[in-house]
Amino acid sequence: MPAQVRYFPSQEDLMIIKHSIRCFLKNQKGIYRDKMLFNIRRVLDKYGISKYNFAAFSVHRSVGPGLSFIQGRHEITDRFCPGCGSDLYMVDSPVRILSILEGIHDKVIYGCACGEIFFQFEEK
């Protein structure tokens, strides 16, 4: 049986993912969120991989067609962004939920307009 060769994502493709995430966090509009998730899925599909790890977060391809999500790698235990100190729960907060992984305690992944991506376990 011949080996299956998988290529490593190019720097250009990795920059597309990072730029898409930055654009969504900065603008926080639905169209940017849709484009971000589309670009993540497109890059993962292009290389036939289900996840890619960056320093502060990882991107994943979900089982469903065309879907992707982000996981933070930095846990917080309070209610403030570790980058700029913004309160997660204020009405005008620059912090947005990027994804939620359900379990006994939900793992909620947040992204802030300052560029930080982090997570917190929350009670149901």
Side-chain angles (χ1 to χ4, degrees), residues 73-93:
R73 299 179 77 177
H74 177 227
E75 182 179 6
I76 62 166
T77 56
D78 55 12
R79 56 184 289 155
F80 301 100
C81 170
C84 65
S86 295
D87 191 322
L88 276 68
Y89 306 113
M90 295 299 291
V91 173
D92 60 346
S93 176

Side-chain angles (χ1 to χ4, degrees), residues 14-25 36 39:
L14 296 176
M15 288 306 298
I16 288 171
I17 291 174
K18 288 181 181 179
H19 180 72
S20 297
I21 293 170
R22 238 182 329 229
C23 281
F24 168 67
L25 293 176
M36 171 188 72
N39 285 339

Side-chain angles (χ1 to χ4, degrees), residues 6-92:
R6 300 273 188 209
Y7 294 98
F8 197 72
S10 71
Q11 288 300 312
E12 182 179 283
D13 285 333
L14 296 176
M15 288 306 298
I16 288 171
I17 291 174
K18 288 181 181 179
H19 180 72
S20 297
I21 293 170
R22 238 182 329 229
C23 281
F24 168 67
L25 293 176
K26 205 66 158 159
N27 295 293
Q28 299 186 353
K29 299 209 181 318
I31 193 164
Y32 290 99
R33 181 182 182 83
D34 293 343
K35 188 70 171 164
M36 171 188 72
L37 297 173
F38 174 80
N39 285 339
I40 291 169
R41 182 63 187 239
R42 187 178 58 85
V43 170
L44 295 177
D45 284 348
K46 178 179 177 180
Y47 293 95
I49 55 178
S50 59
K51 80 174 190 176
Y52 187 84
N53 292 318
F54 291 90
F57 62 93
S58 59
V59 292
H60 300 257
R61 181 173 70 173
S62 64
V63 177
L67 301 176
S68 61
F69 62 96
I70 300 169
Q71 280 196 36
R73 299 179 77 177
H74 177 227
E75 182 179 6
I76 62 166
T77 56
D78 55 12
R79 56 184 289 155
F80 301 100
C81 170
C84 65
S86 295
D87 191 322
L88 276 68
Y89 306 113
M90 295 299 291
V91 173
D92 60 346

Side-chain angles (χ1 to χ4, degrees), residues 105-122:
H105 299 287
D106 291 342
K107 182 178 183 181
V108 182
I109 295 85
Y110 294 97
C112 184
C114 74
E116 286 289 322
I117 296 175
F118 49 93
F119 73 93
Q120 183 174 45
F121 288 104
E122 298 187 6

